[in-house]
Amino acid sequence: MNTTLPVVPATPAGERPRLDARGTSTRGHVRASWGVLGFIASDTALLAGYALLGHVSAHAVLMYALAGLGLFGTYRLGIALGWHQRLRGMLLTLVMTPLVSLQLLGTAFWVPQVGLLMLMTLIPTVAMTALILPTRYLGALCLLLGACSAMLVATHGAALSLPMQAGAEAALTAIWFTMLLGRVATLSVRGTQLRNALTQKSADLAEALQKLEAIATHDELTGLLNRRAAMAMLANEAQRADRSGQAFSVALFDIDHFKQVNDTLGHATGDEVLRRYAAAMLGATRAADRFARYGGEEFLLLMPDQPQVHGALQVADRLRLLTAQHPWHEVAEALAITVSAGVATQRPGETTAQLLARADGALYAAKHAGRNRVQAG
Ligand SMILES: Nc1nc2c(ncn2[C@@H]2O[C@H](COP(=O)(O)OP(=O)(O)OP(=O)(O)O)[C@@H](O)[C@H]2O)c(=O)[nH]1
């Protein structure tokens, strides 16, 4: 009678069993079914004790045991037929809870001298349900069970009792209570496990989202912000500048004769040059500045705190010089890398596309003027 539904145990770490939609493995349900059998056995033993003391009939104990075995069989059949997967892991709850409740209430109607124990045993059963079942089902189940309980009290109220006459009876009842407490405690543990699992899941999700964001906004080779992120940043900066009236500057850098690096030293060396260049520029720019990979060997520097073109030109030229002075021989003997840059400072009413076009024009001019130089657009 004390057949509170057991908690479906988690799957041991490292195994990859078939999971239902709620992440419970078939093996977990099988283990839970053994738990059901354990409850049936312990309840039957206690009831047999009451029968020996003459408090309930042996017939009632036998019926209880048979009903319990029927429940166990139904559960195992459900698992064998894959119901736990079809019912999205709610087999225990959707099928077993009403059946167990039926068993408990039926016994209470039939053997009201243990009726109060049956009603109390309903509590952890419903609590288990509340952990899993959607609210609308839970509400319906509670209404149904409430109506049945009310009917039980209305029709058998006076007869409902706790077996406590003899000392041995009281001892059995105390054991029953202790078992009930154990089941409620197990449910609380399960609730905590579920909450922890949820917390872990949302932490994993947040981490995955962060990784996705990083992938979406960063260039894989250099780790710099990619063009998409750079354009978004530029748009934000333009909005800020519109509001504050404080202009900003951009510089487009392009590695000189980079094709030759690839052609003579190989693509891998070309990649290494790009990586080193990016790292060197990141280390040399201010925290407020943003350095992004704009294209293949083209880079964009956003300078929010450079409202004057001469200041922006100085920054860009410092970076140009740093590039020329970088120990490129560490990458390949006799390797020398220079960059050309075009700088533009935002003009009132100018769009980011117009601003970039001016910077690009200046870069083109720098290339044509001989490379390894910076020009303003
Ligand atoms: N290794 C490597 N090469 C790249 C990458 N992206 C673009 N490139 C190469 O960069 C080279 C750019 O060549 P061009 O546009 O002709 O320019 P350039 O040789 O730098 O000449 P100038 O810009 O006129 O000085 C091409 O060979 C591209 O294949 C990359 O991720 N890795």
Side-chain angles (χ1 to χ4, degrees), residues 90-103:
M90 292 189 286
L91 172 66
L92 256 182
T93 330
L94 266 179
V95 178
M96 298 303 286
T97 303
L99 289 181
V100 170
S101 306
L102 200 68
Q103 184 200 24

Side-chain angles (χ1 to χ4, degrees), residues 221 254-259 262 267 270-271 274 293 296-297 367 371:
L221 179 71
D254 188 285
I255 299 178
D256 297 327
H257 300 304
F258 189 60
K259 187 171 181 312
N262 275 333
H267 208 266
D271 281 355
L274 291 173
R293 189 171 182 194
E297 48 13 316
K367 289 271 181 188
R371 296 181 173 80

Side-chain angles (χ1 to χ4, degrees), residues 60-122:
V61 181
L62 184 68
M63 286 307 287
Y64 175 80
L66 287 177
L69 284 176
L71 277 172
F72 171 73
T74 307
Y75 193 7
R76 292 304 290 262
L77 184 70
I79 296 169
L81 295 176
W83 291 355
H84 58 302
Q85 268 141 8
R86 246 176 281 156
L87 295 171
R88 298 172 51 79
M90 292 189 286
L91 172 66
L92 256 182
T93 330
L94 266 179
V95 178
M96 298 303 286
T97 303
L99 289 181
V100 170
S101 306
L102 200 68
Q103 184 200 24
L104 291 170
L105 286 167
T107 309
F109 271 103
W110 189 26
V111 195
Q113 56 271 40
V114 289
L116 283 179
L117 285 178
M118 300 300 112
L119 282 182
M120 279 186 258
T121 307
L122 262 184

Side-chain angles (χ1 to χ4, degrees), residues 117-373:
L117 285 178
M118 300 300 112
L119 282 182
M120 279 186 258
T121 307
L122 262 184
I123 295 168
T125 305
V126 174
M128 173 70 201
T129 306
L131 283 178
I132 301 173
L133 214 57
T135 319
R136 61 180 189 282
Y137 292 127
L138 183 63
L141 191 71
C142 284
L143 272 179
L144 189 70
L145 293 181
C148 292
S149 304
M151 205 195 303
L152 174 70
V153 173
T155 54
H156 294 68
L160 291 176
S161 65
L162 289 173
M164 289 205 273
Q165 263 82 44
E169 262 183 21
L172 286 178
T173 305
I175 293 173
W176 197 293
F177 274 133
T178 310
M179 279 168 44
L180 272 183
L181 280 178
R183 286 168 204 191
V184 171
T186 309
L187 284 176
S188 306
V189 169
R190 180 60 177 155
T192 307
Q193 282 173 344
L194 285 175
R195 196 193 55 210
N196 290 347
L198 271 179
T199 310
Q200 183 57 45
K201 269 219 167 86
S202 45
D204 290 350
L205 269 178
E207 199 185 310
L209 197 68
Q210 227 173 15
K211 278 187 190 152
L212 273 179
E213 264 171 23
I215 290 169
T217 54
H218 287 75
D219 168 50
E220 206 182 345
L221 179 71
T222 60
L224 293 176
L225 290 170
N226 61 20
R227 185 188 183 111
R228 193 159 147 227
M231 296 308 282
M233 238 166 35
L234 208 57
N236 282 343
E237 192 52 37
Q239 278 181 2
R240 188 204 57 78
D242 279 348
R243 282 197 304 272
S244 69
Q246 163 127 0
F248 63 96
S249 300
V250 295
L252 279 178
F253 291 84
D254 188 285
I255 299 178
D256 297 327
H257 300 304
F258 189 60
K259 187 171 181 312
Q260 270 178 31
V261 176
N262 275 333
D263 291 350
T264 56
L265 299 170
H267 208 266
T269 305
D271 281 355
E272 181 57 16
V273 168
L274 291 173
R275 268 193 293 266
R276 276 192 167 235
Y277 174 69
M281 294 303 104
L282 270 186
T285 44
R286 286 191 203 165
D289 295 342
R290 289 282 172 270
F291 198 78
R293 189 171 182 194
Y294 193 64
E297 48 13 316
E298 210 173 338
F299 298 83
L300 171 74
L301 175 65
L302 171 67
M303 295 168 275
D305 57 356
Q306 289 297 344
Q308 305 287 340
V309 75
H310 67 266
L313 270 172
Q314 275 178 6
V315 173
D317 202 51
R318 183 173 60 80
L319 295 179
R320 177 199 63 78
L321 201 62
L322 267 178
T323 307
Q325 292 170 344
H326 190 82
W328 295 109
H329 60 87
E330 289 175 9
V331 179
E333 209 185 325
L335 176 66
I337 295 289
T338 60
V339 290
S340 303
V343 172
T345 298
Q346 192 211 24
R347 292 173 181 158
E350 191 176 42
T351 65
T352 52
Q354 288 166 333
L355 176 72
L356 284 174
R358 275 199 300 122
D360 200 40
L363 170 62
Y364 187 77
K367 289 271 181 188
H368 278 265
R371 296 181 173 80
N372 190 21
R373 67 195 62 218

